[in-house]
Amino acid sequence: MKKSPSIGTDDVLPAEEEAAIFQHYGLTHRPGAGGERKLARR
């Protein structure tokens, strides 16, 4: 089993690493039409 990527609870996930998180979990990564991130802090 491949170890999941680490995401700190107080850290900011760099945009360039977001696709790798989706890939690890077998999800399709599709940024918004304007480049919006899917895992951005709200």
Side-chain angles (χ1 to χ4, degrees), residues 2-30:
K2 186 177 175 183
K3 185 178 177 185
S4 65
S6 176
I7 303 173
T9 57
D10 293 335
D11 297 332
V12 175
L13 176 68
E16 58 273 6
E17 293 180 20
E18 189 171 276
I21 301 293
F22 276 72
Q23 181 180 2
H24 175 80
Y25 291 104
L27 303 171
T28 301
H29 181 256
R30 289 187 210 127

